[in-house]
Amino acid sequence: MVRALLSGNEAVAEGALAAGCNFFAGYPITPSSEIMHYMARELPKRGGSFIQAEDELAAINMVIGASWAGARAMTATSGPGFSLMQEGLGYAIMTETPLVIVNVMRAGPATGQATKAAQGDLMQARWGRHGDQMIPVLAPSSPQEAYDLTIEAFAIAEELRTPVVVLSDEFIAHGREVVELREKVEIPSRRKPRDPSEPPFGSPDPRIAPPMPPLGEGYYVIVTGSTHNEYGYRDVHSFETHFRLVKRLVDKIRLNVDKLFRYEVLGDDDAEVAIVCFGSVSRSAKQALRMLRSRGVRAKLLRLVTLWPMNDEVVRRELRSAKTIVVPEMNLGQLIYDVQRLAREDSRIVAVNKVGGGIPIYPSEIVEAALGGSR
Amino acid sequence: MSVAKHFSRKYLREEVLPTPFCPGCFNGVVMNAMFKAMEELGIEDLRNFVFVSGIGCSSWIPNPLIRADSLHTLHGRAVAVATGVKLANPRLNVVVIGGDGDLVAIGGNHLLHAARRNMDLLVVMVNNMVYAMTRGQLAPTTPLGFRTATTPYGNFEPPINVAKLLINTNANYVARWCVSNFHKLKQSFKEALSEVSKGFRFIEVVAPCITYVVRYEGKTPGQKIKELREACVEVKSISEIDDVERRGKIAVGVFKKELKPGYVELYESYASRAREASQK
Amino acid sequence: MRSIAFLGRGGQGIVFAGEVIAETLFEQGLYVAQLQSYGAEVRGGSVLSYVVFDRDRVENPFIESFSLAIVLHEAGMRRWMKHLEGSDLVILDELVSAELRNAVKLPISRVCVEKGVLGRENVVAIGVIAASGVLDPSVVERVLSRKRGFEKNIEALKLGLELGRDVADRVAAVLRL
Amino acid sequence: MGCSIVVDSRLCKGCGICVELCPARALELSKELSPSGYRNPVQTGKCVGCRTCEMFCPDFAIAVVCNGKGSA
């Protein structure tokens, strides 16, 4: 185990390299560019490919092409670029292309505040593409987790043949902390079809991704973003083909929720006050939890590491005892929709929203929200 | 004796024929020229080829018709996807086939930058002069005065001359032929697919849409080919292009042919410099 | 958990100072978290850079006051006035006109002018902290040796060590874990 | 000697390019419709083996056979 002082962006890059990433395409954008700088420095000398694309549309599509050619590929961006990449993500979902996309969130919409942290892309990460679709979304809360979850993201991408979003933010990206790096990371290589008759776009068990035929090995694979049958042939008319395909693609993620859903719970089982959070805000929330408990409040913290798919059961169970639920987030209210949906009806849900200016949500604000007006 | 088959059939997926194209569509002729070139180059099967296309009629040429690996990608993004494929596995011959709307309008930026990088791709642009799949709207290549679904009173936007534009980039090879110039077109495919060829290679094929151009003009496909034989004038140097076009003709020919190192070669030497620098 | 903040104007090496302190404490075996806040402009704007450190992993780097804050220019103060008021100790460069009950003034910029290390106020300030012994001066030197302008920085560091002698006890009191 | 033209009626869409471009005027479109509803070309004159029809057939439906051999 090596210990290093790394920014969140550097940690993402280190995680990617540890996971065997050998292709990176990106376009400069604050606050994610350092990921690209790191890969630009490391990949050429490690036998990988790095390319600075002409725009984010190109970057995500280059990553898709590289993935089909056998590479472990990734890109990193921020809000405006993430918006442009939605199109490519939709294609990657439809074609079951493994890739990792890191979105370092900044204050939006539009250009917003490029250097200031935010968490406003939660819903976009989940729902940004048109049509029915689902992809895993992981949210680190520190450089250490940025490292670990990037590795995790590659493993999920390969196993389920899906794009995976790592949702970081400017605080994590530019903050430097101590990161423990792993010696060796084993991620199983892609499963190829046994022979050309094994369908590359169909699976009897929706929880298991079909095998992926690499280009150039005589599989004569047909890849298309249009509706296709299990062998890749376009079928843009039939109800059965479309429904079967899209249902399987969503089920591939949804039915693996137990495997994909990571969360952290701290504090009292029978808490009266619960804090629900994700990402960098969790750091303040943890201190807030300690402050509440030291004042004799029975309190707990539920931190979502996986933001999608959502494990409703777990969240419902963890919020069962809470009369007051505080949801601090660096946006105007997004995670709170899940809480409203899953909390018991008589609970008091308090939002703590703050975004812009590079000002974090402080522990005292969370404590105040938890105690304010409590009976 | 088995029944004789058309020479293109060995490169095609039998199970998806007949083609999805309109009767007389020149897409098939472009394919014939490419396959004839491959046949003459002794290419038996296409396992080392990857075809990448976007959205549009000509983007259906490779996917699923051609018996090869093919990626039918998003509208405009074929060149970007192809770039990723090539960089991740430089051993593959990567061919992009697309229309003028796909490659030049929505995908124009990618085309320009792939040419700037001299990316090791063959890009075949089937210029049918309109958006055909979406029912005949204005394309960046639509001639002045043309009536389309979105210029019902006649096009007033001057068209872009793509091949001429690309001459002024780092592209190694730029050619334009009309679909009527079968042998010359085939020859260009041979040049662009031969073993020594590298870098960015661009072949434009002027192949007017059979439905939204040729039929609108009240012509048959055969008549259009005969007309193109007259209208397409081969130039020996790029200085003649303007002259030909001023006369209302279509300038065709090999406009540029160089053998500069392509992106892959340049990247490899860059990477070896990176390795040396890191060993110090 | 303790923290050290630098505040100033873009171009004063505020972020650099945070980096050096973070790396020094890291090499001294502590867990650190280093954050900064600055505008899109490279020079001129208000800059805050701070380091939170602890014997264990830093629970929360988003703090509302600092153990020690060093202000090198007034431009850096405006947005963070509440933080400064709540801090345990603030060191102001003597050119900063603001008054704070918890502040002492040191002639950091004047020393730089007089001793010919203009523009190294940040490193002089690091020296002031190191005078307390919380930062090991030899580790600071090692960290600086990996960065640009090493020789001038060492000069500045020494000036800071001297300048910090008078406040060493107060600095140590707020920073000792 | 001489060549003959083989038409695959499964693929031919009766576009008539082969008929119009044949320099020997050896082809005509049939009076009857093929099973897929198109008028396929039929050989009515002497084929000189230039293979123009093959090259320009957009539907890969035609093959010229000379001395019992197809194209190259």
Side-chain angles (χ1 to χ4, degrees):
Chain A
M1 194 91 78
V2 184
R3 219 180 249 190
L5 183 60
L6 297 179
S7 73
N9 278 346
E10 291 168 333
V12 162
E14 274 294 339
L17 292 167
C21 175
N22 55 2
F23 186 96
F24 185 100
Y27 186 78
I29 187 166
T30 305
S32 80
S33 293
E34 295 83 3
I35 299 173
M36 182 162 77
H37 300 168
Y38 208 97
M39 299 308 265
R41 199 180 67 217
E42 292 303 315
L43 281 178
K45 60 189 195 201
R46 298 179 187 217
S49 292
F50 169 87
I51 184 166
Q52 180 172 329
E54 55 271 20
D55 56 32
E56 284 93 347
L57 303 165
I60 186 82
N61 282 288
M62 287 172 179
V63 163
I64 290 166
S67 181
W68 272 99
R72 215 160 260 183
M74 129 167 157
T75 186
T77 187
S78 183
F82 194 52
S83 292
L84 289 177
M85 290 186 184
Q86 297 304 322
E87 180 197 63
L89 279 178
Y91 181 81
I93 292 166
M94 195 62 151
T95 54
E96 300 180 71
T97 307
L99 63 88
V100 172
I101 171 168
V102 182
N103 175 19
V104 181
M105 289 184 286
R106 66 189 223 186
T111 316
Q113 293 184 322
T115 63
K116 308 302 181 195
Q119 296 182 310
D121 304 351
L122 164 59
M123 288 303 190
Q124 189 189 21
R126 289 174 174 178
W127 296 111
R129 284 68 55 194
H130 62 274
D132 290 289
Q133 48 79 38
M134 196 173 231
I135 51 174
V137 180
L138 309 176
S141 65
S142 66
Q144 178 71 59
E145 259 191 344
Y147 175 80
D148 293 331
L149 290 180
T150 302
I151 293 172
E152 184 78 33
F154 274 97
I156 296 169
E158 291 295 326
E159 193 191 332
L160 293 181
R161 265 184 74 182
T162 178
V164 179
V165 179
V166 176
L167 208 53
S168 177
D169 70 51
E170 193 274 341
F171 283 137
I172 300 164
H174 288 161
R176 286 208 301 174
E177 291 191 52
V178 180
V179 178
E180 274 158 14
L181 305 172
R182 299 182 218 168
E183 296 285 315
K184 185 107 181 82
V185 179
E186 284 297 341
I187 292 183
S189 55
R190 251 171 234 177
R191 195 164 62 84
K192 297 180 192 178
R194 285 184 303 274
D195 58 71
S197 72
E198 196 181 359
F201 300 101
S203 169
D205 182 345
R207 286 167 302 182
I208 295 170
M212 185 168 177
L215 303 177
E217 293 187 15
Y219 287 95
Y220 297 144
V221 59
I222 309 165
V223 183
T224 177
S226 301
T227 297
H228 47 274
N229 70 13
E230 45 272 71
Y231 289 96
Y233 291 99
R234 211 165 36 241
D235 178 357
V236 294
H237 297 293
S238 112
F239 158 77
E240 286 80 10
T241 308
H242 186 78
F243 193 80
R244 188 170 62 233
L245 172 64
V246 174
K247 177 90 163 48
R248 181 177 63 77
L249 294 181
V250 170
D251 281 349
K252 189 170 70 172
I253 309 302
R254 188 160 57 189
L255 300 181
N256 275 308
V257 64
D258 289 340
K259 217 193 264 183
L260 295 171
F261 191 71
R262 309 276 143 90
Y263 64 101
E264 182 184 23
V265 176
L266 296 172
D268 303 308
D269 280 344
D270 59 345
E272 267 184 280
V273 172
I275 306 169
V276 184
C277 56
F278 75 98
S280 65
V281 168
S282 320
R283 309 292 290 277
S284 291
K286 280 185 188 175
Q287 196 183 331
L289 174 73
R290 209 155 37 77
M291 289 158 74
L292 284 168
R293 295 180 77 204
S294 73
R295 291 191 199 183
V297 179
R298 286 200 316 277
K300 68 154 53 162
L301 174 139
L302 169 61
R303 174 170 77 93
L304 302 182
V305 178
T306 302
L307 294 174
W308 212 233
M310 181 65 100
N311 193 330
D312 291 359
E313 296 301 302
V314 167
V315 176
R316 214 174 266 136
R317 187 183 69 221
E318 292 300 336
L319 298 182
R320 207 165 35 204
S321 67
K323 293 196 181 101
T324 297
I325 303 170
V326 186
V327 189
E329 40 185 339
M330 287 190 290
N331 55 44
L332 299 183
Q334 297 193 18
L335 186 63
I336 199 166
Y337 289 113
D338 292 301
V339 176
Q340 285 166 343
R341 189 170 59 85
L342 299 167
R344 51 186 243 207
E345 258 174 47
D346 61 343
S347 59
R348 186 176 70 97
I349 300 170
V350 191
V352 180
N353 306 121
K354 207 167 161 190
V355 62
I359 313 278
I361 294 173
Y362 293 114
S364 60
E365 294 168 320
I366 299 169
V367 170
E368 224 168 88
L371 300 179
S374 76
R375 286 144 288 186
Chain B
M1 189 189 94
S2 64
V3 179
K5 276 186 181 174
H6 188 274
F7 62 85
S8 291
R9 299 268 286 270
K10 62 171 162 294
Y11 298 113
L12 299 172
R13 292 178 202 264
E14 279 294 322
E15 70 275 20
V16 296
L17 294 175
T19 73
F21 306 129
C22 301
C25 173
F26 296 142
N27 279 345
V29 184
V30 179
M31 294 170 80
N32 286 341
M34 181 173 74
F35 291 142
K36 200 55 162 173
M38 288 174 163
E39 191 179 75
E40 290 181 13
L41 287 170
I43 295 167
E44 284 297 313
D45 64 49
L46 303 176
R47 64 166 53 219
N48 290 323
F49 279 80
V50 175
F51 292 87
V52 187
S53 62
I55 298 296
C57 292
S58 48
S59 292
W60 282 6
I61 286 176
N63 187 300
L65 283 174
I66 300 182
R67 202 171 130 72
D69 290 332
S70 68
L71 293 144
H72 176 240
T73 70
L74 293 165
H75 196 21
R77 311 295 165 229
V79 170
V81 173
T83 296
V85 171
K86 184 67 190 179
L87 293 187
N89 188 350
R91 183 180 64 77
L92 299 170
N93 291 315
V94 185
V95 180
V96 174
I97 302 179
D100 41 307
D102 188 63
L103 288 169
V104 183
I106 187 167
N109 203 29
H110 308 312
L111 184 73
L112 193 64
H113 287 276
R116 169 179 69 82
R117 296 184 181 111
N118 204 14
M119 187 58 64
D120 301 71
L121 305 172
L122 166 59
V123 176
V124 182
M125 185 180 91
V126 182
N127 179 357
N128 68 357
M129 305 179 171
V130 287
Y131 282 84
M133 187 169 274
T134 49
R135 291 194 279 157
Q137 295 88 354
L138 177 78
T141 46
T142 305
L144 281 172
F146 243 70
R147 289 202 188 149
T148 71
T150 48
T151 54
Y153 311 107
N155 175 30
F156 62 95
E157 290 188 19
I160 189 168
N161 192 324
V162 188
K164 227 163 85 179
L165 176 79
L166 292 179
I167 293 169
N168 297 311
T169 64
N170 286 323
N172 263 357
Y173 189 87
V174 180
R176 180 200 286 142
W177 297 105
C178 288
V179 71
S180 53
N181 309 117
F182 189 90
H183 290 281
K184 304 275 189 172
L185 175 59
K186 178 199 75 186
Q187 199 52 38
S188 263
F189 274 116
K190 279 176 83 170
E191 287 179 347
L193 290 172
S194 74
E195 243 167 61
V196 292
S197 61
K198 52 190 167 187
F200 189 79
R201 290 146 282 149
F202 180 79
I203 300 175
E204 173 180 351
V205 190
V206 179
C209 173
I210 229 62
T211 298
Y212 292 104
V213 177
V214 179
R215 229 172 47 191
Y216 266 32
E217 293 174 336
K219 290 169 191 148
T220 65
Q223 282 169 341
K224 191 68 186 177
I225 288 193
K226 286 180 184 168
E227 182 192 299
L228 287 169
R229 279 177 182 161
E230 301 302 317
C232 300
V233 178
E234 186 175 352
V235 299
K236 294 294 171 207
S237 81
I238 56 171
S239 59
E240 297 169 35
I241 295 176
D242 289 344
D243 199 42
V244 167
E245 284 171 357
R246 246 189 310 263
R247 288 188 276 130
K249 303 277 188 184
I250 300 169
V252 297
V254 177
F255 297 156
K256 190 179 187 186
K257 191 161 131 184
E258 292 176 3
L259 277 176
K260 299 189 300 281
Y263 186 96
V264 167
E265 197 179 324
L266 294 173
Y267 183 82
E268 273 162 14
S269 67
Y270 172 79
S272 71
R273 267 193 294 147
R275 277 191 297 275
E276 278 165 33
S278 72
Q279 274 155 15
K280 274 176 199 159
Chain C
M1 198 266 293
R2 296 287 183 275
S3 58
I4 301 170
F6 278 78
L7 299 93
R9 175 173 51 77
Q12 282 188 308
I14 300 294
V15 174
F16 177 88
E19 281 170 12
V20 171
I21 289 183
E23 286 167 37
T24 301
L25 291 167
F26 171 63
E27 290 194 17
Q28 288 176 208
L30 294 168
Y31 281 94
V32 298
Q34 176 215 331
L35 275 91
Q36 52 268 318
S37 169
Y38 49 83
E41 62 280 74
V42 175
R43 301 205 182 277
S46 140
V47 184
L48 161 70
S49 164
Y50 67 91
V51 180
V52 182
F53 57 101
D54 208 338
R55 285 201 188 87
D56 261 314
R57 270 196 184 277
V58 174
E59 178 185 67
N60 171 33
F62 304 120
I63 51 178
E64 291 172 81
S65 62
F66 309 109
S67 309
L68 171 69
I70 297 191
V71 182
L72 294 180
H73 193 280
E74 248 173 288
M77 293 182 72
R78 288 189 289 268
R79 297 179 67 205
W80 307 103
M81 217 48 206
K82 269 206 179 131
H83 280 64
L84 292 174
E85 280 164 3
S87 292
D88 298 330
L89 178 64
V90 180
I91 295 176
L92 302 173
D93 181 62
E94 64 175 11
L95 292 182
V96 175
S97 60
E99 297 292 336
L100 285 167
R101 54 152 195 95
N102 50 351
V104 291
K105 287 197 175 178
L106 285 181
I108 296 172
S109 53
R110 177 150 51 91
V111 166
C112 288
V113 175
E114 284 169 3
K115 307 286 180 181
V117 289
L118 199 65
R120 312 270 167 171
E121 289 84 352
N122 54 349
V123 182
V124 173
I126 293 170
V128 168
I129 303 168
S132 70
V134 172
L135 299 179
D136 179 338
S138 68
V139 180
V140 177
E141 260 194 64
R142 192 164 69 221
V143 170
L144 286 173
S145 73
R146 297 196 296 254
K147 302 186 184 283
R148 268 193 212 171
F150 175 57
E151 276 164 33
K152 277 277 176 203
N153 280 340
I154 290 301
E155 251 178 80
L157 180 69
K158 291 199 170 124
L159 292 169
L161 285 167
E162 207 166 301
L163 186 63
R165 213 179 288 154
D166 294 343
V167 290
D169 289 345
R170 291 183 69 181
V171 171
V174 295
L175 290 185
R176 278 260 149 72
L177 278 166
Chain D
M1 295 296 273
C3 306
S4 60
I5 290 162
V6 182
V7 176
D8 187 334
S9 65
R10 185 173 76 94
L11 303 189
C12 176
K13 296 177 192 153
C15 70
I17 289 183
C18 51
V19 175
E20 287 184 72
L21 296 187
C22 176
R25 298 173 186 274
L27 295 167
E28 271 176 33
L29 286 182
S30 67
K31 300 277 181 295
E32 298 83 42
L33 297 182
S34 72
S36 21
Y38 296 113
R39 293 173 66 191
N40 288 2
V42 285
Q43 191 175 345
T44 53
K46 187 173 182 299
C47 170
V48 297
C50 72
R51 300 185 187 278
T52 301
C53 55
E54 239 182 34
M55 291 172 226
F56 283 93
C57 175
D59 282 293
F60 327 112
I62 221 164
V64 177
V65 183
C66 300
N67 306 320
K69 278 189 198 154
S71 87

